[in-house]
Amino acid sequence: KSFADLPMAFSDEFDWPQFSEITGFLNSTIGGWTDSLYLRLRKRNRCNHRDLQNISQNVYFPVNIAPYLSFSLARNQLLDNPAIVIYATIGNDVCNGERDTLAHMTTPKEMLSNVVQALRYLDSRLPNGSHVILTGLVDGRFLWDNLHDRYHPLGQLNKDVTYSQLYSFLDCLQVSPCSGWLTPNETLRNLTSERALQLSNVLKEIARSEKFANFDIFYMDFPLRQTAEEWRKMGGEPWQLIEPVDGFHPSQIAAALGTGITWQKALHEWPQVLGKENPFNDQIEAIFKDQGGH
């Protein structure tokens, strides 16, 4: 029984889309709470019930999402309602475990090509009136700044394993999830963030200049800074926004708080993306109930 959930965990690459910032739909029991764009859209319009997809891949190489879209995207251009697509690579384009990590990062030219290719594919598949939001890359210096001298869960009992030591161990084995940020080398951390900013600027320029027939396109910075400020106001500490086991991914708390920031930005700056509230929500719920949940 201890290993009964391993097949599902492996198939999800140890990620949890059911708790995530965009597609989360289950109550979280893993150190936080669940709030998601999907849950808010469903509350706003009950016709959004179960209309969600999480198309993602853990990768160490330049991210070209077009191949994943080609066999994963479920949307009929003629028969389905418009979609909202959140395009977020977060840190994949600059994170790798290579010795010469800078040489293996996505270049601005590659970023432009990859994203435009993906958007062209979306334009051929999404119903007219859809929306695409491009999310900038994160500034991963946040990880080292807030975790390096703290004890990893493996070292909390005997006070003998810090995150800095864990990062060095993973780097020694050449399995670091991000050699450019999980390093004591401040210059390398700064260069990695510099490349991430360059790639975010590519996304920003695409949103400004590219036009597509079936969707409008928007850009927003990754909301880490606002998330940290919000969490501080609630009495929290920045390190709690990072997943404690891997010391790398956003925690459940960060995901939930990020949802609210993204939602408010869309509500105030791009209200057409979210659509109007459905005046028949109560009737829909009364007739269809929750249809067995999600």
Side-chain angles (χ1 to χ4, degrees):
K1 285 186 178 180
S2 297
F3 302 104
D5 292 329
L6 270 184
M8 183 187 73
F10 277 124
S11 67
D12 280 341
E13 298 182 321
F14 292 96
D15 294 325
W16 302 101
Q18 62 270 45
F19 303 130
S20 72
E21 180 176 340
I22 306 302
T23 61
F25 54 84
L26 293 181
N27 289 329
S28 174
T29 57
I30 55 174
W33 65 97
T34 301
D35 191 4
S36 72
L37 196 64
Y38 163 67
L39 285 176
R40 292 185 178 222
L41 284 167
R42 180 176 177 266
K43 183 178 180 181
R44 189 174 181 86
N45 183 351
R46 292 287 297 190
C47 291
N48 287 314
H49 181 66
R50 288 183 184 160
D51 191 0
L52 73 157
Q53 277 190 275
N54 192 313
I55 303 173
S56 55
Q57 176 78 27
N58 286 334
V59 291
Y60 277 166
F61 44 82
V63 178
N64 186 348
I65 198 173
Y68 304 116
L69 293 173
S70 64
F71 58 77
S72 299
L73 181 64
R75 211 69 181 176
N76 186 299
Q77 195 166 40
L78 298 178
L79 301 177
D80 287 337
N81 286 322
I84 302 171
V85 177
I86 310 296
Y87 186 106
T89 62
I90 306 178
N92 284 344
D93 284 282
V94 296
C95 283
N96 59 71
E98 303 291 341
R99 284 283 179 248
D100 187 358
T101 183
L102 291 170
H104 289 81
M105 294 178 186
T106 303
T107 65
K109 184 177 179 180
E110 289 171 329
M111 189 71 164
L112 178 63
S113 174
N114 290 343
V115 176
V116 169
Q117 184 181 344
L119 292 174
R120 285 174 180 163
Y121 179 79
L122 287 173
D123 202 30
S124 72
R125 291 292 302 275
L126 294 180
N128 188 262
S130 294
H131 313 280
V132 174
I133 299 175
L134 303 178
T135 304
L137 278 70
V138 69
D139 185 346
R141 288 174 292 193
F142 186 90
L143 301 168
W144 180 269
D145 291 347
N146 290 289
L147 280 186
H148 74 277
D149 57 351
R150 296 189 60 82
Y151 290 111
H152 183 270
L154 290 173
Q156 286 178 2
L157 179 63
N158 296 316
K159 303 291 187 282
D160 56 356
V161 181
T162 64
Y163 280 95
S164 176
Q165 291 170 317
L166 173 71
Y167 296 155
S168 296
F169 178 65
L170 295 175
D171 194 51
C172 179
L173 296 178
Q174 290 186 265
V175 294
S176 172
C178 197
S179 297
W181 275 326
L182 308 185
T183 172
N185 186 330
E186 183 180 7
T187 299
L188 184 54
R189 297 198 306 270
N190 290 337
L191 288 172
T192 304
S193 288
E194 183 180 319
R195 176 61 61 86
L197 180 59
Q198 291 171 357
L199 300 184
S200 294
N201 286 335
V202 170
L203 295 174
K204 191 180 298 185
E205 178 59 22
I206 289 173
R208 188 192 69 80
S209 61
E210 296 287 339
K211 303 297 179 187
F212 297 89
N214 290 308
F215 57 82
D216 48 15
I217 185 168
F218 307 95
Y219 170 85
M220 68 174 290
D221 291 325
F222 191 87
L224 181 59
R225 181 180 55 79
Q226 301 98 307
T227 300
E229 289 174 359
E230 193 71 26
W231 185 231
R232 242 185 236 105
K233 290 177 185 175
M234 297 170 68
E237 298 287 340
W239 59 267
Q240 295 168 315
L241 300 175
I242 306 167
E243 212 290 318
V245 174
D246 67 16
F248 179 61
H249 288 93
S251 69
Q252 187 64 34
I253 294 170
L257 291 174
T259 295
I261 294 166
T262 301
W263 180 266
Q264 289 301 318
K265 183 174 181 65
L267 197 62
H268 291 109
E269 296 185 26
W270 324 308
Q272 70 274 26
V273 171
L274 304 178
K276 297 179 180 179
E277 289 189 51
N278 191 334
F280 303 104
N281 278 337
D282 291 342
Q283 294 177 49
I284 292 170
E285 193 166 0
I287 294 171
F288 294 101
K289 311 302 184 203
D290 67 356
Q291 300 177 61
H294 294 273

